[in-house]
Amino acid sequence: MSKILILYYSQSGQLTEIVKNFAKPFGKSDNYSVTYANIEPVKEYGFPWKGYEFFDAFAESVNRIPCEIKPLNLGDEDFDLIVFAYTAWYMSPSIPSNSFLLSDQAKRIFKDKPVITLLGVRNMWVVAQEYVKEKIADLGGNLVGNIVLRDRAENLTGIITISYFLFSGKKDRFLGFFPKPGISNTDIAGVEKYGEIVKNHLINNNLDSLQEDLIKAKAVKINPYLSTTEQMAYKRVFTKWTKFILKKGGPGNPDRKTRVRIFACYFPFAILVIAPIEYVFFLIFAPFRLKSIKKEIKYLSGVKLKSNI
Ligand SMILES: Cc1cc2nc3c(=O)[nH]c(=O)nc-3n(C[C@H](O)[C@H](O)[C@H](O)COP(=O)(O)O)c2cc1C
C-alpha cells in the first residue's frame, strides 16, 4: 500500500477543497492511504482579514519569518509521497506553511521522500516556489511535481475581486458584476485529473517523469509578464519595505504601526500605477528577449533548481 501525506494550510477553505479533489483518485482504491495534515498556527490569522492585520503580515511573509505552529499528530509514520499544498502571501509561502518547512518535524518527514507542491494562489507564485524548491532540497526531499491553480481573471480585475474575497470572506460577485473571486469551481473540480496523473506515475514507479506529464496537462502555466514583474518587485521593492518595517520590531509591535500604514498606502499605488507602466515596458522589450523569455518559461515550469541544471 502507498501512503500519501498531504500537508496544507487554508483560511477560507479554498485550498482545502483543492486538496480534497486532488486526492479523489487515491480514494477509489484500497492500494492507497491518504493522511491529511492541517498546519495550525498557535495564534490564528483572522479570516476575513482586517485591513491593518493584512498589511502587518507583509514583513514576516517576505522575510520568511516563522510563527509558532502546533506540532502535527503524525508520530514517526513514514510516507511514500508528500504533497505540500500551500498558498502564497506576498510572493512567499503563507507564514504558517513556511513555518512548517522550517520546523524540525519537516526535517524528518521530507527526508529522502518524493514531494509534490500543489498551489492555490491568485497569480503571483514563482518567487514563493523558487524558495520552496530550495527548502525542500535543504530538507533532503526530492521535488517531482508542481501543480498550480490560480485565478484566471485579468491581473487588475483579480486584485479587486481577491481583495473583496479576503476582506469580506465572500466568494460571490463583487458589486454584482465582477467575476467571482479566486480559483473557479471548474478548476477546483478539475484538479482531480492531476491526481490521476500522479497516481499513474506512482503505480508505474516513474515519478521522475511526472512533471513532464503535468506540464502537458497544463498543470502549470507561466505568464512571462507576471513572472518578470513579480521577481523584480520582490527583489527591488518588497525586500526594501520589509527592512523598513522590521527596523521597528516584530508583528503586533505598536512601534511599527506607522510604517505598516505607509506601506498600506504605497501598495495600491504600486499595483495601480507602477505595474501598468512596467507592463508597457515589458511589451516594448519582449520582442528582443524572446529567447530568454522562452528559457525562463521552461525553467519556471519545471521542478529542478537553477543550481542543478
Ligand atoms: C496576506 C495575503 C497575501 C497574498 N499574496 C498573494 C501573492 O503574493 N500572490 C498570489 O498569487 N496570491 C496571494 N494571495 C492569495 C492567496 O495565495 C490565496 O489564494 C488566498 O488567500 C486563498 O487561500 P485560502 O485557501 O487560504 O483561503 C494572498 C493572500 C493573502 C491573505
Side-chain angles (χ1 to χ4, degrees):
M1 186 202 273
S2 292
K3 291 166 84 179
I4 298 144
L5 172 66
I6 305 188
L7 299 153
Y8 68 102
Y9 168 78
S10 177
Q11 291 195 298
S12 68
Q14 179 176 270
L15 188 67
T16 313
E17 254 190 272
I18 291 171
V19 150
K20 298 267 151 110
N21 281 313
F22 169 81
K24 271 186 186 166
F26 298 101
K28 290 175 187 159
S29 144
D30 289 341
N31 295 334
Y32 304 95
S33 84
V34 178
T35 304
Y36 294 96
N38 184 11
I39 299 165
E40 283 181 84
V42 170
K43 187 171 168 280
E44 251 308 344
Y45 291 85
F47 186 84
W49 286 80
K50 292 198 179 82
Y52 181 80
E53 274 78 29
F54 180 80
F55 292 106
D56 198 40
F58 169 78
E60 280 66 33
S61 303
V62 173
N63 226 25
R64 280 89 192 236
I65 298 171
C67 65
E68 206 184 329
I69 52 170
K70 297 179 188 166
L72 298 177
N73 191 13
L74 295 172
D76 49 13
E77 226 175 313
D78 207 31
F79 296 94
D80 301 294
L81 178 69
I82 314 289
V83 178
F84 182 67
Y86 73 94
T87 60
W89 288 6
Y90 297 110
M91 303 174 189
S92 305
S94 71
I95 298 175
S97 298
N98 181 44
S99 307
F100 181 75
L101 285 179
L102 299 177
S103 70
D104 284 340
Q105 223 177 3
K107 282 185 196 147
R108 189 192 67 73
I109 290 171
F110 280 79
K111 181 121 186 66
D112 299 327
K113 295 288 180 260
V115 181
I116 292 171
T117 40
L118 172 57
L119 284 70
V121 294
R122 191 178 73 79
N123 67 6
M124 291 206 173
W125 56 272
V126 302
V127 172
Q129 180 68 3
E130 284 308 293
Y131 167 82
V132 170
K133 273 184 191 175
E134 275 175 28
K135 281 293 139 220
I136 291 171
D138 291 349
L139 292 166
N142 175 24
L143 184 64
V144 292
N146 180 34
I147 300 159
V148 182
L149 268 74
R150 69 201 154 81
D151 185 345
R152 290 185 189 250
E154 180 278 319
N155 192 31
L156 279 181
T157 311
I159 287 167
I160 295 168
T161 54
I162 198 127
S163 304
Y164 169 68
F165 173 37
L166 296 179
F167 291 119
S168 72
K170 293 182 197 154
K171 217 177 170 187
D172 57 6
R173 288 174 183 275
F174 177 48
L175 299 177
F177 65 85
F178 273 96
K180 281 190 181 167
I183 299 157
S184 72
N185 289 338
T186 316
D187 285 346
I188 292 177
V191 74
E192 188 178 343
K193 67 175 174 284
Y194 303 132
E196 199 68 56
I197 294 174
V198 172
K199 191 175 110 179
N200 289 335
H201 278 260
L202 201 57
I203 294 171
N204 297 317
N205 204 12
N206 60 357
L207 284 170
D208 282 347
S209 60
L210 170 65
Q211 188 61 9
E212 278 166 45
D213 282 351
L214 287 175
I215 292 171
K216 277 184 208 146
K218 300 193 166 44
V220 187
K221 187 172 181 298
I222 304 294
N223 174 323
Y225 157 65
L226 290 177
S227 63
T228 309
T229 310
E230 185 188 341
Q231 291 175 83
M232 261 170 30
Y234 183 84
K235 224 187 323 187
R236 295 196 197 151
V237 184
F238 275 26
T239 50
K240 293 198 171 87
W241 275 100
T242 298
K243 262 193 202 151
F244 174 71
I245 293 170
L246 286 177
K247 265 190 195 148
K248 291 283 175 185
N253 190 326
D255 291 349
R256 73 181 205 176
K257 272 196 173 153
T258 311
R259 293 190 175 199
V260 171
R261 288 198 178 114
I262 299 171
F263 169 70
C265 296
Y266 166 81
F267 197 61
F269 169 77
I271 288 168
L272 298 171
V273 181
I274 302 176
I277 295 173
E278 275 184 8
Y279 187 47
V280 173
F281 276 102
F282 177 83
L283 291 180
I284 293 170
F285 291 107
F288 308 102
R289 293 183 51 234
L290 284 183
K291 223 172 151 189
S292 69
I293 290 175
K294 262 192 195 161
K295 210 170 141 196
E296 184 85 343
I297 292 176
K298 190 163 177 246
Y299 169 71
L300 292 172
S301 311
V303 286
K304 298 237 168 348
L305 270 170
K306 240 176 206 151
S307 50
N308 294 340
I309 289 178

